[in-house]
Amino acid sequence: MTELAGTRTGDDAVRIGSRNQRLQALVNWRLAKPVSAVTVATIAILVGVNFSLADQLKWTLWVSFGVVAMSLSFIWGKAGIFSFGQNALFGIGAYGYAILSLNLFPYTGETLSALIFAGVVAAAFAAALGYFMFYGRVGDVYLSVLTLAVTLILYTVFSSTAGPQYRIGEATLGGFNGMPGLPTLTFWMPGGSAPLEIQGLMIFAIGLAAVLYVLTSYAADSRFGEILSGVRDNETRMELLGYDVRFWKWLAFVVGGAIAGIGGGLFAAWGTFTNPSVFSLTQAAMVIIWVMVGGRNSLFGAFVGVVIVQWVADEADKIVSEQTPLILGLMLILSLFLLPNGVVPTILNWVKSWFSRTAEVSAVESASPQPVAADARAETGAGPVRHGVIIAENVAKSFGGLTVLRGVDLTFDEAPVYAIIGPNGAGKSTFFNVLTGRVSATQGRITLNGADVGAMPAFERARLGLGIKLQIASIFPSMTVRQHIDLALRARSLANREQLIERTLRDVDLWDRADDQASDLAHGQQQWLEIAMVIAQRPSVILLDEPTAGMSRQEKVRTARLIERLSASHRIIVVEHDMAFVRSLEAPVAMLHEGRVFRNGSFEAVCGDEDVINIYLGRRSNVVSA
Amino acid sequence: MENDDSMLGSGVRKLKGFRPNRRAVLKGAMASGAALLSAPAVLRAAAQDEIQVASMFDLTGNLNIYGVQQMNVSKYAIEAINEAGGVLGKKLVLNAYDTQSKIELYSRYAQEIGTNEQVAAVVACFTGASREAARPVLSRFKKLLFFPTIDEGGECDRFCFMQGTDCVQQEGPLIEWAAKNAGDTLYVVAADYVYGHVATAWTKALAEKAGVKISGIEFIPLEVSDFSSTIRKIQSAKPAAIMSNLVGSNHIAFYRQFAAAGLNGSIPIVSPVFGLGNEQEILSAEETKGIVVAYSYFETLESAENKTFLEGFRKVHPDSGVVADTPAQVWIAWHQWKQAVEKAGTTEIMPVVEALESGMSFTGPAGPVTVDAPCHRNIQDVHLARVDANQKFEIIEKFEQVKPTREVVGAGACDLTGADQNSHRMIEPKF
Amino acid sequence: MDSLLVVLFSAATSIATLLIASIGLAVIFGLMRIINMAHGEFLMIGAFATVMLVRALGLPVLVAAAGGALAAALLGLIVELVLIRPLYGRRLVDTLLVTFGLSLVLFQLAVNIFGTTSPGISTPFGAVTIGEYSVSVYSLFLIPIAALLMLVVYLVFTRTKYGLLARAAAQNPEMASALGVDARKINKLTFMLGAALAGLGGGLLAPIVAVSPGMGQSYIGQAFMTVITGGQAFLLGTLASAAALGGVQNIVAQLVTTFWGLAALFLTSIVILRFMPEGLSARWKRQL
């Protein structure tokens, strides 16, 4: 473990520590964001009403842009979904407002319903599109292009609705001309309606944006947001922890769609007009430029980005008129080179690093070191011993013309630990992937605790009690150690969650690093963290793929001890290369060769076998086939 | 009076003049250093001897083939009026907006203009789509709008005046010419937005009256430039002539591909929109020879007013290219407004509207124009012209003082001095 | 009979046009995994260069188009050095955005220099009669030109040293560098090649459209869809998807209206991607 040099002494340290802790606590306080949002909104309103009506109009427009930018910040920054089509949802919201307000306003005298409808219809569209994309498992690049295509299609479709037959109730779609003459935002009052004039609309818009911001940041900081962060950082790991990542991405996309739709409704109410140009390629790019400039990891940054870009575009137009595309293009290029994370995160990082210089010192002092649990057997396995059974029957796997597994029969039901070895190309990794569900077998059966899991995807097997640790440490770099376990404890209630987290982290000797960021851990520790995530789910069977890859000798020794401890309450199957490590496991060994089980038995029996040695040395010709 | 580009002297808010040729770079570099505010953001202290007016045109984007010249003429008109003494003794100040071919900017700048209490009148827009984005807003703020382009009808707003010829004024003569000189079948290609659809409805009605059969209709989305399937369908239909209502720079490709297929010699094209963006200069002489159009104004018109107009314009904008009908209508609009204000004695909107409706005549470069009160359109001369071998328009026929139509196709009529006195809407044509 | 023939030729021309417009994007995306949003502008610059060469020097269209390719290649070199290279190793979206910024800049520069529309060049070679129809010879001519272009690109990538190294570096960068391949030089050449192909495409298309600074915009959407639908095999995949999408677009436009043709193109692309998320050529053996 690393030591910080130059630590302060004694009482000073404690005092600084607690003051910084209190400061830290204040900043992390749940209410910080809503309070600051309300403050900023109030200041904006108080300042704004003193400016000209033309300026107030402009800012209302910017607020509606900010809302759609925030929706992209949410789904991109939080969930890692780079959608080129947020403006499409914005446009659908705008048209939704237009259609409903034109139809209902003569009867209800209000358009708030239309604004809500804008959000709803955009969310519905996002739900359909999201289902198509996420449940179809479209890859990242293709997802961006798909959303771009949707935008272009909508543009083409809406541009061609010029005939009078294209109407929904009272509202004619108008094709390229669009739908003019929309009623502005109007509230129902007893005794009549109250349409919002320019100033009223600005105040309402700022207030609405503040509310949306608070709700969205609440979602982003909640468990939902944590899950989305996990999906963004490491989708595979989340899947192996049992999360249905398709659903979570879809849900994030729908939420983003609703927000964008409300922004669109506000936009239509502002302009009293909507037309297909809202679906254009330029508009799609603007949303991305706003978020890039403001910072895609920051919801507030979305608004900042809008203000900066729009202000520059307007001012530039006054100085060097008609060169707006040039200015915007240069802005985008410059921001990519100079401020790749955007304005707000860059500023926040400066502030944070200034704070943390002082906070770092105290953290060392205030965290008391925990003794390493020498024999943690008593601490683990709070429940009864649960060794699961996994059986592979005649499993075969071919990739196109290449046959990798030719009928593997292995039953893991007696010993607490099993090892699988074999030379390169034997099919170890493929067999592992077939067991875990990342790859489906061409033939054969996989049974887990009696259930046939051959058709189940990985996350379902994880839920059934199969713990999987991949070869490369698969963790979430931006999260703390504690958060990893928190995520792994998907469904547990709050009551014993804290205890479970502590117990799990102690099991792997990482309790003293609980609040550190995972990216700060040493390589070996990251492997243990992943194992901790796996055992947190109390799986009955744990599969470990080359767990000691890249470890030092010392770390390997500790890993062997860890596996021994865990085997008291879990069935563990290890795929490994390192023979010394396999020997130290004292487990039955199955050796794979050319896609079949070549030898099966104790370590000494298998590794002393002459044929096995010949295979490993590459002297195939000397082998008498089994 | 200095006519130097960089001076504010004649009361025109300086907008970097944009000219569609290579010298633009040099001129632009010089002028941009001296360019000042193009859009008023905060209210200026209103000078007592000034009247503020506004123009919104597309100076960038794919519709600026129309917008640039419109703005040039707008500026020139204001300068000329100021030089002649202004309006009611006061100087005009033009607030110029570049709407970048983006319709939402029309809506937005209209809001800005609307909230600026000083602006007395607006000459703006090119497409009907942009007009419909701006008009309801301007109307709500009681700002007078003059729309210079040809249009399809339906406008029924007491605060809006339509300068350009309407479908009947243009398509009538064109269809008759086609019937007489080509044959009795017509194939229609039109841009796929409201103007294209309504104009085509008018074409159908007028063709029927003239005994011409429509052998096919096709609507082309605005961003399409591949006309191969259209041309094949035209050849299948074997029409005697083609009516083209194609708009925008992508659609210019139609004339090129049509000529490439060897058809421009055998099937004549008539068009109420060709030439508004000086397409005859962009395409080659071979590709455009023989296309027949109908407008109120042509540069080649011979009259004293036109001569003065062109000479003055060329002094200020020597390289800006041919003045088509729409920019000329901008000039006519400002002068009709000036006339009305001087008759009413004020810039207040209702007196000016009533003055315009009172049947005054203004003789401009296109001949005499008079507002037809019930529909807020001009009674004006319409000329048929044909593109000659030198890519110029050669006038072949003149129709004097053609009355505009008060009818909205399929939807009755608009009577702004009668039943629709307080109307601020567009009647939806049924087509 | 002649009607059918003309329809087929028209479809073939649409496919050829789509191919010519997309191949540059495909090369850059396939080998460098970069989405070049400025592809349309490279096309536009090639078109303008071609027009200038024809009008000023009276060169025949094909020669001038080669000049257009050269101009675009030079620009591509500068862009690769200044904008793309510093962003290696960053997120995919970064290069997408920097090229988008570039497209805005190039568009406006073109407007400043050339004006919004300038006189272009007419279509050469006249027309030919097929039964009762008259068809532009140049539009037919594009079909063998597109085929020839594909053949040349194929030969470049299979027979030249550059081609082999580029494909190796694309498929296995670590291995390639271990073998001593200079990735930076290869990428520079690849980007220039993609830009040159875009410029050539612009030059070939200049005689049939109105050349304007915004013309790139009308091609980028369809080129995109074609390349993505094509998938990994950037040459043959793009060929297959151009055939599918271009064919569908043209036939539907002939049967119904132009609008539905466009809609059909996008819809077909989406359907293909739904069932083959990695593109048409995902499972093909040949990765070219």
Side-chain angles (χ1 to χ4, degrees), chain A residues 336-351:
Chain A
L336 274 166
F337 281 102
L338 300 177
L339 289 174
N341 287 322
V343 168
V344 171
T346 311
I347 294 179
L348 282 181
N349 279 339
W350 291 339
V351 169

Side-chain angles (χ1 to χ4, degrees), chain A residues 1 7 22 24 51 78 121 165 188 298 344 376 384 390 393 463 476 493 542 575 622 624:
Chain A
M1 207 164 41
T7 57
R22 266 182 272 132
Q24 197 76 6
F51 278 77
K78 207 70 200 162
V121 74
Q165 68 272 30
W188 184 83
S298 160
V344 171
I390 184 167
E393 289 173 79
R463 290 182 188 176
F476 307 109
S493 70
I542 301 181
V575 172
N622 293 0
V624 172

